[in-house]
Amino acid sequence: MWGQDRTTCSMIGLLAFLLCTPLTTSVTAQSGEVIMVSGVLSTGLLGSQGMFAAMIVSGLAAAGYCLLMSKNLKIRLPESVPPFVSKSFEAIIPGILVGVVCLAIRGIFEATSYGSLNQAIYSMIQSPLSRLGGTLPAMLIFIFLTSLLWWFGLHGTLVVLGFVNALYYPQMMTNLEAFMAGAPLSPSGVVVLTYLFWFLFIQFFGGPGMLFGLDVNMVLFAKSERYRALGKLAIVPGFFNIIEPVVYGFPIVMNPVMVIPFCVGPVVFATVGYFLMTSGIIGYPVAMMAVMTLPGPVVGFLLGGGISLGIFCVICVALSVVMYYPFFKIADNLAVKEEQAQQNA
């Protein structure tokens, strides 16, 4: 980061967050007699409620450390000292200064009505943003933008990911904590619109735009040599949610025929899925899948939503084939005419 060692910056960020996190009193008693009173970190602030505080505090602390290092506020050792030793000593002074500032900030916020910096950030930033993003229209906008950016040739998933992480990751962690604790997840006791909801509809149905349906159309119904060959090339990667061969080979990019199913289709499926989840007909995704290339029909049974969610994912993949068919036939017929014109020429 800014020319500094990444590992050291990460450790400084973690140190800053822990120093800003308040301690709670833990009382150890035996036979009604207090044996020990100690201060421990509040686990509640280490979970979803402390995510925004962790991101903000660690980022600012790492930036402050880099700034101090750039001002040469460090211990310099002779060149004969091995680098791994000298780097450890160089970080001492900036690390101490960052720690002192964090302790001062922690003391200031403990004297306020918030009680801690973590609670202040949660009350002023995380909670309002969560309410803002916790609406169906907001989620549908993020799903639509992901596909639209891909249609423009950009990696829409990575562009939107930062915003979705900030708004929807804490809700996912809240659901996961309740699920791991064995709490019953009912429509009234779970947050449906989470990071996993967005990820389900932009990734696990054949990638952004639910393109596996188009891959199947090319393999089964293509009349043109162009799309028949592309279908054979793209069907296996598409089954594992890899869409680049079709996005740039079909192409989807700036294609006026395919923009409707590619951008609007996931929004429609997500809307249907939302109402099915909130009505209790299908389960909710609560288990995070770090592997983005697992096939949608398979991953639906692994997200913690039960068999109903898995069946829903299978149906969505099948319907994506139907959704793409009329638009694909338009493109395929145009390709057939072009190939015939080239042969006649």
Side-chain angles (χ1 to χ4, degrees), residues 69 71-79 86 89-90 93:
M69 290 290 288
K71 301 299 182 181
N72 291 320
L73 293 175
K74 55 187 178 181
I75 298 175
R76 298 183 179 180
L77 298 179
E79 295 183 358
S86 61
F89 276 87
E90 288 177 354
I93 293 179

Side-chain angles (χ1 to χ4, degrees), residues 171 174-175 178 184-194 277 284-286:
Q171 292 93 319
T174 300
N175 288 349
L185 298 181
S186 61
S188 59
V190 72
V191 182
V192 174
L193 298 176
T194 67
M277 291 177 189
Y284 323 93
V286 293

Side-chain angles (χ1 to χ4, degrees), residues 41 82 84 86 121 155 199 227 241 248 269 294 296 317 334:
L41 286 172
F84 71 92
S86 61
I121 292 176
H155 199 300
F199 203 59
Y227 292 137
N241 309 317
Y248 302 107
F269 280 79
L294 285 176
V317 172
L334 291 174

Side-chain angles (χ1 to χ4, degrees), residues 1 5-17 58 61-62 65:
M1 181 177 182
D5 183 65
R6 295 182 179 181
T7 302
T8 305
C9 290
S10 300
M11 295 302 296
I12 292 295
L14 176 60
L15 172 66
F17 172 66
S58 60
Y65 167 79

Side-chain angles (χ1 to χ4, degrees), residues 70 127 261 304:
S70 66
S127 183

Side-chain angles (χ1 to χ4, degrees), residues 13-14 17 21 45-47 49-60 118 121 126:
L14 176 60
F17 172 66
T21 302
L45 295 177
L46 299 180
Q49 188 174 344
M51 288 192 62
F52 267 72
M55 290 188 291
I56 294 173
V57 171
S58 60
L60 291 177
N118 309 64
I121 292 176
Q126 182 171 340

Side-chain angles (χ1 to χ4, degrees), residues 48-53 121-122 124-131 170:
S48 59
Q49 188 174 344
M51 288 192 62
F52 267 72
I121 292 176
Y122 178 79
M124 293 187 293
I125 299 178
Q126 182 171 340
S127 183
L129 283 178
S130 298
R131 288 195 297 268

Side-chain angles (χ1 to χ4, degrees), residues 219-237:
V219 171
L220 297 180
F221 307 116
K223 301 298 183 182
S224 63
E225 293 294 331
R226 176 196 311 175
Y227 292 137
R228 191 180 299 123
L230 180 60
K232 295 177 182 178
L233 174 68
I235 188 67
V236 175

